[in-house]
């Protein structure tokens, strides 16, 4: 397994923010809202809408990237994150509102989609936005009949199957599933089970950070929280 670092309440001025590091991958997420929906054409009377922007810094990897006006892959990941959290956030509590999620990949060494989802979960909780459960993501591949979790760039580039799963751990409800390249049916059950367990392990890490942050915030006001 790769090492993890998690920090919340990073960005001043944002309603919620978090940085998650997995190995050499580092992702910053900032959340604004719920606030009045700026686009009246998209506004709904019974629920909030989610807007997500995903970007990779040009310096995030060893290969210098040219900044494109419209990056197809970034757009696809933005939509994926948006759809993931539409299934988890209690949007009906904020009619005619919008929630903006900004995801910035600062360092890239594989697993960016999973790290982005886990960081978004922390940032939303930091913003006080109610959700049905944590949303935790984990990726796996298969090497010599063994399922490997926490995939880095080298393992992603091996052209093997890349299985990414985002779940709400308490109910084991799958809110996002992606598979790059072919995965033999004999390995599917094993990979799914290990990936779900990886998501549950991630939920423990995220929950621990939230409790630590709650204690720190309460101590500033001389309050003893029940965590």
């Amino acid at each position: 397994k790769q090492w993890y670092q998690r920090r919340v309440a990073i960005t001043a001025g944002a309603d919620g923010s978090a940085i998650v590091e997995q190995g050499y991958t580092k992702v910053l997420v900032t959340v604004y809202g719920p606030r009045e929906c700026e686009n009246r054409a998209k506004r709904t009377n019974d629920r909030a809408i989610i807007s997500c922007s995903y970007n990779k810094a040009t310096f995030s990897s060893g290969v210098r990237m040219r900044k494109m006006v419209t990056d197809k892959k970034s757009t696809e990941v933005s939509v994926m994150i948006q759809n993931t959290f539409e299934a988890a956030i209690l949007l009906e509590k904020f009619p005619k509102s919008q929630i903006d999620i900004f995801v910035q990949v600062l360092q890239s060494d594989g697993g960016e989609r999973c790290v982005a989802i886990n960081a978004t979960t922390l940032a939303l909780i930091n913003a006080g936005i109610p959700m049905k459960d944590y949303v935790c993501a984990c990726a796996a591949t298969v090497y010599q009949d063994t399922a490997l979790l926490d995939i880095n760039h080298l393992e992603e580039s091996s052209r093997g199957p890349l299985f990414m799963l985002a779940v709400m751990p308490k109910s084991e409800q799958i809110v996002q599933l992606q598979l790059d390249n072919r995965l033999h049916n004999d390995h599917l059950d094993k990979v799914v089970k290990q990936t779900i367990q990886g998501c549950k392990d991630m939920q423990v890490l995220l929950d621990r950070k939230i409790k630590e942050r709650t204690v720190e915030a309460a101590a500033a006001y001389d309050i003893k929280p029940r965590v």
Side-chain angles (χ1 to χ4, degrees), residues 67-71:
K67 185 65 176 178
M68 304 293 291
V69 176
T70 55
D71 184 346

Side-chain angles (χ1 to χ4, degrees), residues 196-212:
I196 289 177
Q197 185 57 51
C199 292
K200 290 182 177 181
D201 293 341
M202 177 57 63
Q203 190 269 338
V204 174
L205 296 176
L206 300 184
D207 189 60
R208 184 182 303 160
K209 172 52 64 175
I210 290 298
K211 289 179 179 178
E212 290 174 0

